Amino acid sequence: MNDELDDVAGLIADARSLYSRDHSSIGTLDELDARLREPLRLALAGIVKAGKSTLLNALLGEQIAPTDAGECTKVVTWYRYADTPSITLHPHDGPSRRLPIRRVAGQLVIDMDATSADEVERIDIGWPAPVLKSVILIDTPGIASLSSDVSTRSLDFLTPSDAPSSADAIVYLMRHLHPSDLGFLEAFRDTAAGASQTVNAVGVLSRADEIGSGRIDSLLSAGKVASRYERDGELARLVLGVVPVAGLLAEGARTLRESEFRAFRALANCDRGVRERLLISADRFTAPTGDLALDAGTRRQLLNRFGLFGVRLAVSLIRAGAPDSEQLAAQLIEHSGLVELRDVIDRRFQSRAATLKIRAVLDGLERLLDAAPRPGDEQVRAGIERIRAAAHGLRELSLLSRAQVSGLGLPDGLSAEAVRIVGGDGLDAASRLGLGEAADPSSGRLRRQVASAIDSWRIQAMSPLLNRPGVDACRIVIRSLDQIASGLATDTGDLAQPAADIVAPGGPADGRRQIADQQRERDGYDLAG
């Protein structure tokens, strides 16, 4: 993949010579070059009050993103890694300027002074959060806001009509499924993916604890709702799964203070009758009472930080044996759904960061050539087509999208297997082959599995019942299997060879392979892509 990144960087350099006197185009090329070299851009989007900033804080592990209704929440805000904290405001007109860094009660306060949100293109926050070393997080204003200007800022940023989306992928938060959610996700797919129509969004059923009215089993109820959404015909075409997350609990757990643990422990150790009465509702929990040493102000703070679901869960976990704040925080995070979301982000987006960036940059470069053609640009255009044709990761992304949007033209069982092999469940060899993470590449099991799979898929590709899309899907799957075999051969010290040849000569698989080779010759194309 590094070679492909270098090839794309070379195309950008070639394009610079074509536009050497066009300052606007050079600026576009500078942006594409920076995008190619920086981490994955992951945007958080959703309707107003969906909990975007709260979830972003949970991902960061700090209360940095403002969650109030101030002017700064109406602006697109980027969070990047930096050794020292910084806040930079970029206006639509005029030079950028640094803003003061100020925290109140642990929360970062962004003071835009007299500047209105309408005047600001974006805010850049540099922060020494470890997660930002591998991803740029982007907080966007609410979709479907009562203020059309606020919604327009998100739409212009994520789904521009004349350029690729500025985000490589999005986490889309929804409390319930609204037509505006479907409209936005479809626009993002069309804009971010271009002609490939790749799905680069994951859905989050946010504030999931509210679905079960704050009961201890609320996340189980939310999980059932999320599963129904995943099966929804319209939504299934637009997102790579739906994850229920209790964002407020996740944020509170990631920033749990020792004083809060002591308060939870006091609740856990108080009289059972008093505790049960307090936890009936939010009003009961914050009402003055002489039966508890924990004052109403402290209880109100716990409610604001964790929600009633979080308070109930924390008390239950302490009573079940959580001994200290570290253990309690870890268990609360596990119950919040944040761990599952981070796993989905890593598996669906982070592991394919280079491929997603290459696709976006090639799209942007092609748009520039189309908008401002120059004599001699044929070489750059040819390079774009060459990289697209050679970059198998792009074809895998396209197949994953087709599986979501229109189907692969394969029987259901084979479609699921194809999605797994091209990386739908993870990019490592064991995940692609459905053997689990514990499979040992040196044992030979993976190599035998991939050899068998290639033979099976080559035979499937020759089926007279398959239409052209089905055959194309088989070709992509076989190429993925070939790459797995090549990697396994390298890892175990064997000579890299086509995976289909790692079988005993003269056996049944060998005969099937000869038939496949003859069929390829007749059809005039290589099933391995």
Side-chain angles (χ1 to χ4, degrees):
M1 188 55 71
N2 286 335
D3 290 341
E4 292 171 357
L5 288 169
D6 291 340
D7 288 344
V8 177
L11 287 183
I12 294 174
D14 292 341
R16 287 184 188 278
S17 63
L18 298 175
Y19 296 97
S20 58
R21 298 184 179 182
D22 184 340
H23 295 298
S24 175
S25 295
I26 290 295
T28 299
L29 291 171
D30 287 342
E31 292 175 4
L32 292 175
D33 190 52
R35 182 167 187 171
L36 190 67
R37 301 173 191 281
E38 69 188 12
L40 179 80
R41 296 177 177 180
L42 182 66
L44 277 69
I47 61 174
V48 176
K49 296 296 184 181
K52 299 181 296 296
S53 299
T54 299
L55 181 58
L56 191 145
N57 285 333
L59 292 169
L60 290 173
E62 292 190 63
Q63 289 182 293
I64 299 175
T67 56
D68 58 13
E71 280 291 287
C72 59
T73 62
K74 303 174 184 177
V75 176
V76 175
T77 306
W78 296 56
Y79 295 82
R80 310 172 188 264
Y81 181 81
D83 291 327
T84 57
S86 65
I87 306 175
T88 306
L89 185 146
H90 299 270
H92 289 293
D93 299 310
S96 303
R97 69 176 189 271
R98 288 291 184 94
L99 300 180
I101 297 173
R102 185 164 59 94
R103 303 188 80 166
V104 175
Q107 291 187 310
L108 185 67
V109 176
I110 300 177
D111 184 3
M112 293 170 50
D113 197 14
T115 307
S116 70
D118 293 334
E119 302 173 79
V120 180
E121 177 195 340
R122 73 180 190 275
I123 293 175
D124 262 307
I125 296 181
W127 206 261
V131 67
L132 295 177
K133 290 184 177 181
S134 59
V135 65
I136 294 172
L137 294 175
I138 306 172
D139 196 7
T140 62
I143 307 295
S145 169
L146 292 176
S147 168
S148 60
D149 290 340
V150 173
S151 295
T152 299
R153 290 185 196 106
S154 284
L155 295 173
D156 287 347
F157 174 75
L158 293 169
T159 61
S161 58
D162 57 351
S165 174
S166 295
D168 297 316
I170 63 169
V171 172
Y172 190 84
L173 285 74
M174 50 194 169
R175 298 178 65 180
H176 306 285
L177 187 58
H178 294 284
S180 57
D181 297 323
L182 295 172
F184 169 81
L185 286 167
E186 189 154 6
F188 178 76
R189 185 195 66 192
D190 295 345
T191 304
S196 67
Q197 293 288 283
T198 307
V199 176
N200 332 339
V202 62
V204 167
L205 188 59
S206 65
R207 303 173 72 160
D209 51 302
E210 296 179 1
I211 291 176
S213 301
R215 299 190 308 271
I216 293 295
D217 63 349
S218 290
L219 266 293
L220 294 176
S221 301
K224 295 176 182 178
V225 175
S227 296
R228 288 202 301 272
Y229 283 166
E230 283 185 345
R231 296 190 297 270
D232 181 275
E234 292 184 283
L235 187 62
R237 298 182 298 107
L238 303 172
V239 297
L240 296 166
V242 180
V243 182
V245 178
L248 188 61
L249 172 62
E251 180 192 44
R254 289 275 280 156
T255 57
L256 179 68
R257 303 158 189 157
E258 190 64 33
S259 60
E260 291 169 337
F261 172 75
R262 291 195 298 268
F264 283 134
R265 187 171 56 188
L267 285 169
N269 292 334
C270 76
D271 178 78
R272 176 180 176 180
V274 173
R275 183 175 62 250
E276 289 180 348
R277 286 195 300 273
L278 281 173
L279 296 178
I280 287 176
S281 67
D283 289 340
R284 287 281 188 93
F285 185 69
T286 56
T289 177
D291 298 329
L292 187 66
L294 208 60
D295 63 89
T298 301
R299 282 178 273 136
R300 190 175 300 108
Q301 184 181 30
L302 290 177
L303 190 67
N304 291 337
R305 287 262 292 142
F306 297 87
L308 189 60
F309 169 71
V311 172
R312 289 169 173 167
L313 182 60
V315 170
S316 295
L317 291 173
I318 290 175
R319 291 184 57 78
D324 52 40
S325 58
E326 183 177 350
Q327 290 283 337
L328 178 62
Q331 293 182 39
L332 290 174
I333 291 170
E334 184 71 33
H335 282 80
S336 71
L338 184 65
V339 173
E340 182 182 357
L341 176 61
R342 289 190 298 199
D343 177 67
V344 169
I345 290 172
D346 181 67
R347 183 160 39 89
R348 296 293 193 179
F349 303 137
Q350 194 63 58
S351 60
R352 293 188 184 271
T355 302
L356 290 168
K357 289 191 295 179
I358 286 172
R359 189 194 58 201
V361 171
L362 289 179
D363 189 23
L365 187 55
E366 188 171 51
R367 286 173 185 258
L368 174 61
L369 294 173
D370 290 341
R374 293 289 189 275
D377 64 10
E378 297 85 0
Q379 181 178 349
V380 178
R381 292 181 184 274
I384 292 173
E385 292 306 314
R386 174 178 53 79
I387 293 172
R388 283 178 173 160
H392 183 63
L394 294 177
R395 289 196 290 272
E396 288 186 330
L397 284 177
S398 180
L399 185 141
L400 288 172
S401 178
R402 275 202 286 138
Q404 295 281 124
V405 176
S406 60
L408 301 179
L410 298 170
D412 289 343
L414 281 179
S415 289
E417 183 180 345
V419 166
R420 190 190 70 234
I421 289 172
V422 300
D425 295 335
L427 297 185
D428 60 287
S431 295
R432 287 176 182 261
L433 296 172
L435 298 179
E437 297 180 357
D440 180 6
S442 64
S443 68
R445 183 185 178 193
L446 290 181
R447 290 193 297 156
R448 291 192 296 271
Q449 183 83 4
V450 77
S452 174
I454 285 187
D455 280 325
S456 175
W457 277 95
R458 280 183 166 172
I459 292 171
Q460 181 63 42
M462 293 186 296
S463 170
L465 301 178
L466 278 189
N467 55 20
R468 187 66 199 191
V471 174
D472 289 342
C474 289
R475 296 176 67 185
I476 295 171
V477 169
I478 293 169
R479 174 61 68 85
S480 296
L481 289 167
D482 274 336
Q483 289 188 345
I484 296 170
S486 178
L488 291 175
T490 302
D491 291 342
T492 57
D494 295 337
L495 291 176
Q497 56 181 322
D501 293 333
I502 309 177
V503 293
D510 190 49
R512 292 194 299 269
R513 188 169 53 257
Q514 292 177 12
I515 295 172
D517 291 341
Q518 294 168 3
Q519 181 70 39
R520 289 200 308 277
E521 290 177 4
R522 288 195 298 270
D523 291 346
Y525 60 83
D526 183 357
L527 287 176

